[in-house]
Amino acid sequence: NSSGQDVTFVYSSGVGAKAGSGDYLKMFSVGSNGLLSTTPYAESAATFAAGMTPSVSSNGATNGIVWTIERPEAIGVQPGIGAAVLYAYDAANTTSGTMNLLYDGTQALQGGVYRDRGGCANKFGVPTIANGKVYVATQNELDVFGLLGTQTGPGVFFGDPCYTFAATVIGTPVSEPMSLINNGTSALTISSITTTGTNAADFTQTNTCPASLAVGKKCVITVTFTPSLAEVETAYVTVTDNAVGSPHNIYLVGVGKK
């Protein structure tokens, strides 16, 4: 730790006593008797609605980092539409009992667009670290984080990484506009926009997207859900383009009722 002492720590984040109240990421020290400290050695400044399961990486015995994935919605929200946010904390250094935040996925914000936003967050997501990369599994994609390097080329940013339609009577359409922004450094060439997946026939789309979307420009994909079943239905808006990671998708969930 910052004092140069050899100390063992355990990291955890649960949920608050009140539903949806969240909890801090806490850092407990382990004494020579093998027991945890009764109070946190340090904790994060922010609270997290659904708790988190942290992972730790290091370069041997140095440069320890605690990685966590935030699900911004409470555990009871089904299935959840918020984007997963990756956090990195210093595994040892603290200031006045507060864990030192090194990075989070909302820090790179330009014009309302988060450069590092992930897909739709799962419950109990655990970051996996290997060969200098951090892997984050979400509801609709696998996100891989690493050193940025030179960032060139087009980019895809969805206003909604996923969307859950309100329950609607079978045969009754309900629509939602969803934005697509080119957050890269060159024109985004869009080859196709389609609905795919298990119940794709019940999800249709129209869009204002041109074949070439200029840097910083936005187009709108309007998805209409018309349920044919009295159950949960799922599909994707799939965008095929010339940006890294193509095809890109928006995960869709709808519920029909009688």
Side-chain angles (χ1 to χ4, degrees), residues 178-181 190 193 208-210 213 217-221:
M178 304 176 188
S179 62
L180 185 164
I181 300 171
I190 300 173
I193 300 176
T208 64
C209 299
L213 187 64
K217 296 299 183 181
K218 177 179 77 172
C219 62
V220 176
I221 303 169

Side-chain angles (χ1 to χ4, degrees), residues 49-123:
M52 299 181 296
T53 304
S55 295
V56 179
S57 68
S58 68
N59 181 10
T62 62
N63 300 325
I65 298 175
V66 181
W67 301 94
T68 61
I69 304 169
E70 178 189 14
R71 183 183 193 266
E73 293 148 314
I75 291 292
V77 177
Q78 299 284 353
I81 62 173
V85 181
L86 180 65
Y87 283 76
Y89 288 91
D90 191 320
N93 291 344
T94 63
T95 302
S96 302
T98 300
M99 294 185 68
N100 181 23
L101 177 64
L102 303 175
Y103 163 85
D104 76 66
T106 67
Q107 288 177 340
L109 176 64
Q110 295 179 339
V113 174
Y114 294 109
R115 183 195 65 199
D116 299 338
R117 190 173 69 167
C120 300
N122 285 314
K123 297 178 182 179

Side-chain angles (χ1 to χ4, degrees), residues 117 140-143 154-158 160-161 180-181 183 188-190 192-196 221 236-251:
R117 190 173 69 167
N140 61 320
E141 62 190 32
L142 174 65
D143 297 320
V156 170
F157 177 92
F158 291 119
D160 299 283
L180 185 164
I181 300 171
N183 65 335
L188 176 69
T189 300
I190 300 173
S192 66
I193 300 176
T194 59
T195 54
T196 61
I221 303 169
Y236 298 88
V237 170
T238 299
V239 179
T240 304
D241 51 67
N242 66 330
V244 172
S246 177
H248 298 91
N249 73 80
I250 303 171
Y251 182 46

